[in-house]
Protein backbone atom coordinates (compact mmCIF):
# COMPACT_ATOMS: atom_id res chain seq x y z
CA UNK A 1 0.00 0.00 0.00
CA UNK A 2 1.26 3.46 -0.88
CA UNK A 3 -0.62 5.93 1.28
CA UNK A 4 -0.21 9.70 1.18
CA UNK A 5 -1.56 12.49 3.34
CA UNK A 6 -4.07 13.36 0.61
CA UNK A 7 -7.43 11.62 0.43
CA UNK A 8 -8.51 10.81 -3.12
CA UNK A 9 -12.15 10.46 -4.12
CA UNK A 10 -13.53 8.25 -6.88
CA UNK A 11 -17.14 8.56 -8.02
CA UNK A 12 -18.77 5.66 -9.85
CA UNK A 13 -21.44 6.24 -12.46
CA UNK A 14 -24.06 3.47 -12.60
CA UNK A 15 -27.07 2.77 -14.82
CA UNK A 16 -30.27 3.77 -12.95
CA UNK A 17 -31.62 0.68 -11.22
CA UNK A 18 -28.26 -1.05 -10.84
CA UNK A 19 -27.13 0.93 -7.78
CA UNK A 20 -27.78 -1.84 -5.25
CA UNK A 21 -25.94 -4.39 -7.40
CA UNK A 22 -22.98 -2.00 -7.59
CA UNK A 23 -22.97 -1.49 -3.82
CA UNK A 24 -23.00 -5.25 -3.23
CA UNK A 25 -20.07 -5.62 -5.62
CA UNK A 26 -18.08 -2.93 -3.80
CA UNK A 27 -18.73 -4.47 -0.40
CA UNK A 28 -17.30 -7.76 -1.64
CA UNK A 29 -14.21 -6.19 -3.23
CA UNK A 30 -13.16 -3.91 -0.38
CA UNK A 31 -13.07 -6.89 1.98
CA UNK A 32 -9.85 -7.97 0.27
CA UNK A 33 -6.69 -6.81 1.97
CA UNK A 34 -5.40 -5.01 -1.12
CA UNK A 35 -8.48 -2.77 -1.16
CA UNK A 36 -9.14 -2.45 2.57
CA UNK A 37 -7.86 1.14 2.66
CA UNK A 38 -10.85 2.18 0.54
CA UNK A 39 -13.90 3.67 2.25
CA UNK A 40 -17.24 3.30 0.52
CA UNK A 41 -19.77 6.06 1.23
CA UNK A 42 -23.06 4.71 -0.06
CA UNK A 43 -25.07 7.42 1.66
CA UNK A 44 -23.58 10.00 -0.71
CA UNK A 45 -23.90 7.77 -3.74
CA UNK A 46 -21.19 5.48 -5.04
CA UNK A 47 -18.31 7.54 -3.69
CA UNK A 48 -15.02 5.89 -2.72
CA UNK A 49 -12.24 7.46 -0.67
CA UNK A 50 -8.66 6.39 -0.02
CA UNK A 51 -5.17 7.78 0.61
CA UNK A 52 -3.83 4.92 -1.51
CA UNK A 53 -4.27 6.12 -5.09
CA UNK A 54 -2.84 2.96 -6.66
CA UNK A 55 -5.38 0.69 -4.92
CA UNK A 56 -8.23 3.09 -5.59
CA UNK A 57 -7.58 3.21 -9.34
CA UNK A 58 -6.68 -0.48 -9.61
CA UNK A 59 -10.12 -1.30 -8.19
CA UNK A 60 -11.63 -0.02 -11.45
CA UNK A 61 -10.33 -3.08 -13.31
CA UNK A 62 -12.40 -5.36 -11.06
CA UNK A 63 -15.71 -3.55 -11.40
CA UNK A 64 -18.45 -5.19 -13.47
CA UNK A 65 -21.49 -2.99 -12.75
CA UNK A 66 -20.44 0.71 -13.06
CA UNK A 67 -20.14 2.38 -16.47
CA UNK A 68 -17.66 5.15 -15.57
CA UNK A 69 -15.25 6.10 -12.79
CA UNK A 70 -14.45 9.77 -12.14
CA UNK A 71 -11.51 10.92 -10.02
CA UNK A 72 -12.32 14.10 -8.12
CA UNK A 73 -9.37 16.50 -8.42
CA UNK A 74 -10.66 19.79 -6.96
CA UNK A 75 -13.65 21.51 -5.40
CA UNK A 76 -14.07 25.25 -4.87
CA UNK A 77 -16.55 28.10 -4.96
CA UNK A 78 -16.68 30.21 -8.14
CA UNK A 79 -19.29 32.81 -8.99
CA UNK A 80 -17.57 34.42 -11.96
CA UNK A 81 -15.38 33.38 -14.89
CA UNK A 82 -12.13 35.05 -13.69
CA UNK A 83 -12.37 33.12 -10.39
CA UNK A 84 -13.07 29.91 -12.29
CA UNK A 85 -10.05 30.49 -14.56
CA UNK A 86 -7.79 31.25 -11.59
CA UNK A 87 -8.81 28.12 -9.66
CA UNK A 88 -8.54 25.82 -12.70
CA UNK A 89 -5.10 27.18 -13.65
CA UNK A 90 -3.77 26.10 -10.24
CA UNK A 91 -4.67 22.43 -10.67
CA UNK A 92 -1.65 20.25 -11.45
CA UNK A 93 -3.02 18.95 -14.75
CA UNK A 94 0.25 17.18 -15.61
CA UNK A 95 -0.53 14.68 -12.86
CA UNK A 96 -3.53 13.46 -14.83
CA UNK A 97 -3.74 14.44 -18.50
CA UNK A 98 -0.36 14.87 -20.24
CA UNK A 99 -2.10 15.64 -23.52
CA UNK A 100 -3.67 18.62 -25.31
CA UNK A 101 -6.52 16.47 -26.66
CA UNK A 102 -9.34 16.34 -24.12
CA UNK A 103 -13.06 16.95 -23.84
CA UNK A 104 -15.39 18.66 -21.37
CA UNK A 105 -18.77 17.84 -19.89
CA UNK A 106 -20.42 20.65 -17.94
CA UNK A 107 -23.51 20.76 -15.74
CA UNK A 108 -24.85 23.60 -13.59
CA UNK A 109 -27.66 23.86 -11.06
CA UNK A 110 -28.65 26.94 -9.05
CA UNK A 111 -25.33 28.66 -9.89
CA UNK A 112 -24.34 32.02 -11.32
CA UNK A 113 -22.13 30.28 -13.86
CA UNK A 114 -24.37 28.27 -16.16
CA UNK A 115 -23.33 28.95 -19.78
CA UNK A 116 -21.54 25.79 -20.97
CA UNK A 117 -19.65 27.59 -23.74
CA UNK A 118 -18.22 30.26 -21.44
CA UNK A 119 -17.31 27.71 -18.76
CA UNK A 120 -15.54 25.50 -21.30
CA UNK A 121 -13.64 28.45 -22.79
CA UNK A 122 -12.42 29.49 -19.33
CA UNK A 123 -11.36 25.90 -18.63
CA UNK A 124 -9.55 25.53 -21.97
CA UNK A 125 -7.70 28.81 -21.43
CA UNK A 126 -6.71 27.84 -17.89
CA UNK A 127 -5.36 24.43 -18.90
CA UNK A 128 -3.59 25.80 -22.00
CA UNK A 129 -1.86 28.49 -19.93
CA UNK A 130 -0.90 25.92 -17.28
CA UNK A 131 0.59 23.57 -19.89
CA UNK A 132 2.42 26.44 -21.56
CA UNK A 133 4.02 27.43 -18.26
CA UNK A 134 4.67 23.81 -17.22
CA UNK A 135 4.94 21.60 -20.32
CA UNK A 136 4.45 17.89 -19.74
CA UNK A 137 7.36 15.59 -20.51
CA UNK A 138 7.86 14.65 -24.16
CA UNK A 139 7.70 10.91 -23.37
CA UNK A 140 3.98 11.26 -22.68
CA UNK A 141 3.37 12.15 -26.33
CA UNK A 142 3.75 8.43 -27.07
CA UNK A 143 0.82 7.44 -24.85
CA UNK A 144 -2.27 5.97 -26.49
CA UNK A 145 -5.69 6.91 -25.14
CA UNK A 146 -8.70 4.66 -25.79
CA UNK A 147 -10.78 7.84 -25.69
CA UNK A 148 -9.68 11.46 -25.21
CA UNK A 149 -9.75 12.30 -21.49
CA UNK A 150 -13.01 13.86 -20.34
CA UNK A 151 -12.96 16.64 -17.74
CA UNK A 152 -16.23 16.95 -15.84
CA UNK A 153 -17.07 20.39 -14.42
CA UNK A 154 -20.13 20.40 -12.21
CA UNK A 155 -21.67 23.43 -10.52
CA UNK A 156 -24.09 23.12 -7.61
CA UNK A 157 -25.05 26.23 -5.60
CA UNK A 158 -21.91 27.99 -6.95
CA UNK A 159 -19.65 25.15 -5.77
CA UNK A 160 -17.52 23.83 -8.61
CA UNK A 161 -16.47 20.20 -8.63
CA UNK A 162 -13.79 19.13 -11.12
CA UNK A 163 -13.35 15.45 -11.99
CA UNK A 164 -11.42 13.49 -14.61
CA UNK A 165 -12.74 10.36 -16.27
CA UNK A 166 -10.56 7.35 -15.47
CA UNK A 167 -12.34 4.94 -17.79
CA UNK A 168 -11.65 5.89 -21.39
CA UNK A 169 -14.23 3.69 -23.08
CA UNK A 170 -17.21 2.79 -20.88
CA UNK A 171 -16.35 0.24 -18.22
CA UNK A 172 -18.91 -2.21 -19.58
CA UNK A 173 -16.75 -2.57 -22.70
CA UNK A 174 -14.62 -5.42 -21.36
CA UNK A 175 -12.22 -5.83 -24.27
CA UNK A 176 -12.65 -9.58 -24.74
CA UNK A 177 -15.93 -9.53 -26.69
CA UNK A 178 -14.99 -9.02 -30.33
CA UNK A 179 -18.26 -9.68 -32.16
CA UNK A 180 -21.75 -8.34 -31.39
CA UNK A 181 -25.27 -9.18 -32.44
CA UNK A 182 -28.40 -7.16 -33.18
CA UNK A 183 -29.76 -5.28 -30.11
CA UNK A 184 -26.94 -6.46 -27.78
CA UNK A 185 -27.23 -6.22 -24.02
CA UNK A 186 -24.75 -4.02 -22.17
CA UNK A 187 -22.26 -6.05 -20.18
CA UNK A 188 -23.03 -4.14 -16.98
CA UNK A 189 -26.66 -5.27 -17.22
CA UNK A 190 -25.50 -8.83 -17.88
CA UNK A 191 -23.21 -8.72 -14.84
CA UNK A 192 -26.07 -7.51 -12.64
CA UNK A 193 -28.28 -10.31 -13.99
CA UNK A 194 -25.62 -12.89 -13.06
CA UNK A 195 -25.46 -11.38 -9.55
CA UNK A 196 -29.25 -11.68 -9.32
CA UNK A 197 -29.07 -15.34 -10.38
CA UNK A 198 -26.19 -16.13 -8.01
CA UNK A 199 -28.12 -14.67 -5.08
CA UNK A 200 -31.05 -16.99 -5.79
CA UNK A 201 -29.31 -20.22 -6.82
CA UNK A 202 -26.98 -22.71 -5.17
CA UNK A 203 -23.43 -22.89 -6.48
CA UNK A 204 -22.59 -25.28 -9.30
CA UNK A 205 -25.54 -24.65 -11.60
CA UNK A 206 -25.26 -25.00 -15.39
CA UNK A 207 -26.43 -21.92 -17.27
CA UNK A 208 -28.21 -22.13 -20.64
CA UNK A 209 -28.95 -19.08 -22.75
CA UNK A 210 -31.20 -20.38 -25.56
CA UNK A 211 -31.30 -17.06 -27.45
CA UNK A 212 -27.73 -16.10 -26.71
CA UNK A 213 -27.09 -13.48 -29.39
CA UNK A 214 -23.35 -12.81 -29.27
CA UNK A 215 -23.10 -14.30 -25.77
CA UNK A 216 -23.15 -11.28 -23.43
CA UNK A 217 -24.93 -13.00 -20.52
CA UNK A 218 -22.79 -16.14 -20.78
CA UNK A 219 -19.67 -14.00 -21.10
CA UNK A 220 -20.46 -12.25 -17.81
CA UNK A 221 -21.19 -15.63 -16.21
CA UNK A 222 -17.91 -17.18 -17.34
CA UNK A 223 -15.74 -14.09 -16.79
CA UNK A 224 -17.22 -13.11 -13.42
CA UNK A 225 -14.13 -14.30 -11.51
CA UNK A 226 -11.63 -12.58 -13.78
CA UNK A 227 -10.13 -9.10 -13.76
CA UNK A 228 -10.89 -6.90 -16.79
CA UNK A 229 -7.31 -6.87 -18.10
CA UNK A 230 -7.89 -7.10 -21.86
CA UNK A 231 -8.49 -3.40 -22.42
CA UNK A 232 -6.88 -0.05 -21.67
CA UNK A 233 -8.05 2.42 -19.03
CA UNK A 234 -7.28 6.13 -19.19
CA UNK A 235 -6.07 6.17 -15.58
CA UNK A 236 -3.16 3.96 -16.66
CA UNK A 237 -1.82 7.04 -18.48
CA UNK A 238 -2.06 9.33 -15.45
CA UNK A 239 1.55 10.25 -14.49
CA UNK A 240 0.43 10.26 -10.85
CA UNK A 241 -0.57 6.60 -11.26
CA UNK A 242 2.37 5.59 -13.45
CA UNK A 243 4.98 6.75 -10.94
CA UNK A 244 3.51 4.45 -8.29
CA UNK A 245 5.50 1.26 -7.79
CA UNK A 246 3.72 -1.51 -9.69
CA UNK A 247 2.11 -4.14 -7.49
CA UNK A 248 0.93 -7.56 -8.54
CA UNK A 249 -2.74 -7.99 -7.76
CA UNK A 250 -4.73 -11.19 -8.09
CA UNK A 251 -7.63 -11.36 -5.68
CA UNK A 252 -10.23 -13.28 -7.67
CA UNK A 253 -10.48 -17.04 -7.90
CA UNK A 254 -10.24 -17.36 -11.68
CA UNK A 255 -9.84 -21.14 -11.49
CA UNK A 256 -13.50 -21.79 -10.65
CA UNK A 257 -14.98 -24.12 -13.26
CA UNK A 258 -18.34 -22.99 -14.59
CA UNK A 259 -20.42 -24.78 -17.21
CA UNK A 260 -22.52 -22.96 -19.76
CA UNK A 261 -24.67 -23.83 -22.78
CA UNK A 262 -25.43 -21.49 -25.66
CA UNK A 263 -28.03 -21.73 -28.41
CA UNK A 264 -29.21 -19.34 -31.08
CA UNK A 265 -31.29 -19.54 -34.24
CA UNK A 266 -28.90 -17.24 -36.16
CA UNK A 267 -25.74 -18.84 -37.57
CA UNK A 268 -23.85 -15.53 -37.48
CA UNK A 269 -24.56 -15.32 -33.76
CA UNK A 270 -23.27 -18.86 -33.29
CA UNK A 271 -20.00 -17.87 -34.95
CA UNK A 272 -19.76 -14.77 -32.75
CA UNK A 273 -20.35 -16.79 -29.57
CA UNK A 274 -17.60 -19.25 -30.45
CA UNK A 275 -15.15 -16.44 -31.17
CA UNK A 276 -16.04 -14.40 -28.10
CA UNK A 277 -15.92 -17.29 -25.65
CA UNK A 278 -13.15 -19.41 -27.06
CA UNK A 279 -11.35 -21.41 -24.38
CA UNK A 280 -14.28 -21.83 -21.99
CA UNK A 281 -16.30 -24.95 -21.14
CA UNK A 282 -19.12 -23.96 -23.46
CA UNK A 283 -21.40 -26.16 -25.55
CA UNK A 284 -22.87 -24.26 -28.50
CA UNK A 285 -25.89 -25.42 -30.53
CA UNK A 286 -27.79 -23.91 -33.44
CA UNK A 287 -31.57 -24.08 -33.61
CA UNK A 288 -34.98 -22.86 -32.50
CA UNK A 289 -35.29 -22.79 -28.70
CA UNK A 290 -38.95 -23.80 -28.85
CA UNK A 291 -38.00 -26.97 -30.74
CA UNK A 292 -35.22 -28.05 -28.37
CA UNK A 293 -35.61 -31.44 -26.67
CA UNK A 294 -35.36 -32.02 -22.93
CA UNK A 295 -31.83 -31.72 -21.60
CA UNK A 296 -30.12 -34.18 -19.28
CA UNK A 297 -28.29 -31.47 -17.34
CA UNK A 298 -28.61 -31.48 -13.57
CA UNK A 299 -29.13 -28.18 -11.75
CA UNK A 300 -30.03 -26.42 -15.00
CA UNK A 301 -30.85 -22.71 -14.99
CA UNK A 302 -32.12 -21.03 -18.15
CA UNK A 303 -31.63 -17.33 -18.80
CA UNK A 304 -32.56 -15.01 -21.65
CA UNK A 305 -32.69 -11.37 -22.68
CA UNK A 306 -36.10 -11.62 -24.30
CA UNK A 307 -37.07 -9.61 -27.40
CA UNK A 308 -38.81 -6.40 -26.36
CA UNK A 309 -40.78 -6.18 -29.61
CA UNK A 310 -38.83 -3.06 -30.66
CA UNK A 311 -35.71 -3.77 -32.72
CA UNK A 312 -36.30 -7.55 -32.67
CA UNK A 313 -39.85 -8.60 -33.56
CA UNK A 314 -41.67 -11.82 -32.64
CA UNK A 315 -44.19 -13.66 -34.80
CA UNK A 316 -46.65 -14.00 -31.91
CA UNK A 317 -47.98 -11.56 -29.33
CA UNK A 318 -45.06 -10.55 -27.12
CA UNK A 319 -46.89 -11.47 -23.87
CA UNK A 320 -47.69 -14.90 -25.31
CA UNK A 321 -44.04 -15.25 -26.35
CA UNK A 322 -42.87 -14.52 -22.78
CA UNK A 323 -45.14 -17.13 -21.23
CA UNK A 324 -44.20 -19.69 -23.90
CA UNK A 325 -40.55 -19.08 -22.94
CA UNK A 326 -41.18 -19.95 -19.28
CA UNK A 327 -43.31 -22.97 -20.24
CA UNK A 328 -40.61 -24.30 -22.59
CA UNK A 329 -37.90 -23.79 -19.95
CA UNK A 330 -39.90 -26.00 -17.61
CA UNK A 331 -40.29 -28.71 -20.28
CA UNK A 332 -36.51 -28.70 -20.83
CA UNK A 333 -36.01 -29.68 -17.19
CA UNK A 334 -34.82 -26.37 -15.78
CA UNK A 335 -35.07 -25.82 -12.02
CA UNK A 336 -35.66 -22.13 -12.71
CA UNK A 337 -35.65 -19.62 -15.54
CA UNK A 338 -34.64 -15.95 -15.62
CA UNK A 339 -35.45 -13.31 -18.19
CA UNK A 340 -34.80 -9.63 -18.80
CA UNK A 341 -38.00 -7.94 -19.95
CA UNK A 342 -39.83 -4.60 -19.89
CA UNK A 343 -41.81 -4.13 -16.69
CA UNK A 344 -45.03 -3.93 -18.73
CA UNK A 345 -44.80 -7.57 -19.87
CA UNK A 346 -47.55 -9.76 -18.41
CA UNK A 347 -46.66 -13.13 -16.88
CA UNK A 348 -49.31 -15.81 -16.40
CA UNK A 349 -50.29 -16.26 -12.74
CA UNK A 350 -49.60 -20.00 -13.00
CA UNK A 351 -45.89 -19.12 -12.89
CA UNK A 352 -44.41 -18.24 -9.51
CA UNK A 353 -42.57 -15.09 -10.64
CA UNK A 354 -40.16 -12.97 -8.62
CA UNK A 355 -39.16 -9.57 -9.99
CA UNK A 356 -36.09 -7.42 -9.36
CA UNK A 357 -36.15 -3.66 -9.03
CA UNK A 358 -36.68 -1.53 -12.15
CA UNK A 359 -33.62 -0.93 -14.36
CA UNK A 360 -33.25 1.65 -17.10
CA UNK A 361 -31.98 -0.24 -20.14
CA UNK A 362 -31.36 2.36 -22.85
CA UNK A 363 -34.53 4.28 -21.99
CA UNK A 364 -36.69 1.18 -21.48
CA UNK A 365 -37.49 0.24 -17.88
CA UNK A 366 -36.89 -3.49 -17.49
CA UNK A 367 -36.75 -6.07 -14.72
CA UNK A 368 -35.06 -9.38 -14.04
CA UNK A 369 -37.82 -11.95 -13.60
CA UNK A 370 -37.28 -15.37 -12.04
CA UNK A 371 -39.71 -18.28 -12.34
CA UNK A 372 -39.11 -21.38 -10.19
CA UNK A 373 -40.36 -24.85 -11.04
CA UNK A 374 -39.97 -26.55 -7.64
Amino acid sequence: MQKTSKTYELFLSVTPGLEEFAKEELKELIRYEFFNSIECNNEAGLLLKSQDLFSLLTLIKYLKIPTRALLRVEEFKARDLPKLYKKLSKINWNDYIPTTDFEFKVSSHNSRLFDDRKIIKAAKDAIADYQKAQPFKAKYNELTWSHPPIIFIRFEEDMCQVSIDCSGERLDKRGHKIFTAKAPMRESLGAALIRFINSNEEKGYTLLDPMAGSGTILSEYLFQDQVNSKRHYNFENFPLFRKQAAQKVNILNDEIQRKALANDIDRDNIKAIKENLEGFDLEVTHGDFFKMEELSENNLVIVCNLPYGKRIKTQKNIHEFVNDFYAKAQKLGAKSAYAVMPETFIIDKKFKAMRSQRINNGGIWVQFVKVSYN
Side-chain angles (χ1 to χ4, degrees):
M1 302 297 174
Q2 302 175 43
K3 295 184 179 180
T4 66
S5 59
K6 178 177 179 178
T7 298
Y8 297 94
E9 295 184 351
L10 190 73
F11 178 76
L12 302 178
S13 175
V14 178
T15 297
L18 297 185
E19 294 88 353
E20 293 306 314
F21 292 106
K23 291 174 184 178
E24 290 172 9
E25 178 180 51
L26 286 170
K27 286 180 182 178
E28 292 177 8
L29 286 171
I30 62 178
R31 290 194 188 109
Y32 291 95
E33 182 179 358
F34 185 81
F35 296 127
N36 64 13
S37 68
I38 300 174
E39 298 178 13
C40 182
N41 186 349
N42 287 329
E43 295 301 321
L46 292 163
L47 180 64
L48 309 178
K49 298 182 179 182
S50 179
Q51 293 181 341
D52 183 356
L53 181 66
F54 187 88
S55 295
L56 188 63
L57 294 180
T58 300
L59 177 72
I60 296 171
K61 291 186 175 184
Y62 290 82
L63 299 174
K64 309 289 186 181
I65 308 297
T67 52
R68 288 207 175 274
L70 309 181
L71 184 66
R72 301 264 173 88
V73 297
E74 195 58 82
E75 187 172 19
F76 52 83
K77 181 168 283 189
R79 295 177 176 175
D80 55 60
L81 292 171
K83 181 67 174 289
L84 176 63
Y85 168 88
K86 183 178 179 180
K87 288 290 187 179
L88 291 176
S89 63
K90 290 183 177 180
I91 295 174
N92 190 357
W93 295 103
N94 288 347
D95 277 347
Y96 310 104
I97 51 169
T99 176
T100 57
D101 183 19
F102 42 79
E103 300 175 0
F104 292 93
K105 288 195 176 181
V106 176
S107 63
S108 181
H109 183 253
N110 288 342
S111 299
R112 296 185 186 184
L113 293 177
F114 59 87
D115 189 315
D116 290 10
R117 293 171 298 175
K118 291 181 179 179
I119 292 171
I120 290 174
K121 184 181 184 308
K124 284 183 175 179
D125 289 345
I127 298 174
D129 289 347
Y130 170 89
Q131 291 181 333
K132 183 177 180 180
Q134 302 181 61
F136 53 81
K137 295 180 180 179
K139 65 179 182 180
Y140 293 123
N141 288 321
E142 301 175 3
L143 293 177
T144 300
W145 302 81
S146 60
H147 185 283
I150 304 174
I151 300 169
F152 288 78
I153 301 177
R154 179 175 178 267
F155 279 93
E156 182 74 33
E157 304 287 350
D158 292 326
M159 287 300 297
C160 180
Q161 199 172 71
V162 183
S163 304
I164 298 177
D165 176 48
C166 300
S167 317
E169 289 191 304
R170 292 196 320 265
L171 295 179
D172 54 83
K173 292 182 177 292
R174 311 294 193 215
H176 53 69
K177 187 179 173 187
I178 303 170
F179 300 95
T180 59
K182 185 178 180 181
M185 171 190 281
R186 279 196 178 185
E187 283 80 351
S188 53
L189 186 64
L193 175 57
I194 295 302
R195 281 192 159 271
F196 184 69
I197 296 173
N198 288 345
S199 67
N200 288 287
E201 301 293 336
E202 296 179 356
K203 293 181 179 180
Y205 62 87
T206 296
L207 190 65
L208 163 65
D209 187 342
M211 305 175 214
S214 57
T216 299
I217 296 174
L218 296 179
S219 175
E220 293 304 306
Y221 174 64
L222 295 170
F223 277 99
Q224 66 182 285
D225 302 302
Q226 298 191 18
V227 63
N228 301 325
S229 60
K230 295 188 177 181
R231 53 157 288 174
H232 180 268
Y233 300 84
N234 273 3
F235 76 81
E236 293 174 306
N237 285 354
F238 294 178
L240 198 60
F241 176 81
R242 294 170 67 87
K243 71 181 182 182
Q244 305 278 325
Q247 303 173 52
K248 186 176 181 181
V249 187
N250 184 20
I251 66 168
L252 299 183
N253 185 359
D254 56 5
E255 295 182 356
I256 294 178
Q257 297 297 311
R258 302 183 186 279
K259 186 174 182 180
L261 311 173
N263 179 80
D264 201 271
I265 200 168
D266 189 309
R267 290 192 180 277
D268 289 337
N269 288 347
I270 294 298
K271 182 180 178 181
I273 293 167
K274 290 180 178 179
E275 292 284 349
N276 289 335
L277 297 174
E278 184 180 6
F280 282 97
D281 182 9
L282 179 68
E283 181 181 328
V284 183
T285 57
H286 170 254
D288 185 340
F289 163 63
F290 294 103
K291 295 180 181 179
M292 291 179 70
E293 297 183 358
E294 183 175 353
L295 301 171
S296 59
E297 292 290 335
N298 293 322
N299 207 11
L300 176 66
V301 173
I302 294 179
V303 65
C304 185
N305 181 29
L306 292 174
Y308 300 171
K310 302 289 184 180
R311 283 181 286 179
I312 299 179
K313 305 293 184 181
T314 57
Q315 293 182 347
K316 60 180 70 174
N317 175 281
I318 192 65
H319 303 290
E320 182 182 353
F321 184 90
V322 170
N323 288 286
D324 285 352
F325 162 76
Y326 283 117
K328 181 61 178 180
Q330 184 175 23
K331 289 181 180 179
L332 290 177
K335 60 180 291 191
S336 53
Y338 295 77
V340 184
M341 67 180 73
E343 60 180 345
T344 55
F345 281 13
I346 300 170
I347 300 175
D348 196 302
K349 291 182 179 180
K350 70 180 180 182
F351 295 118
K352 188 169 61 176
M354 180 182 75
R355 294 175 180 265
S356 72
Q357 65 265 42
R358 301 165 71 239
I359 302 160
N360 190 329
N361 183 22
I364 300 174
W365 286 96
V366 301
Q367 292 177 305
F368 302 150
V369 182
K370 174 191 177 182
V371 167
S372 299
Y373 304 113
N374 296 337

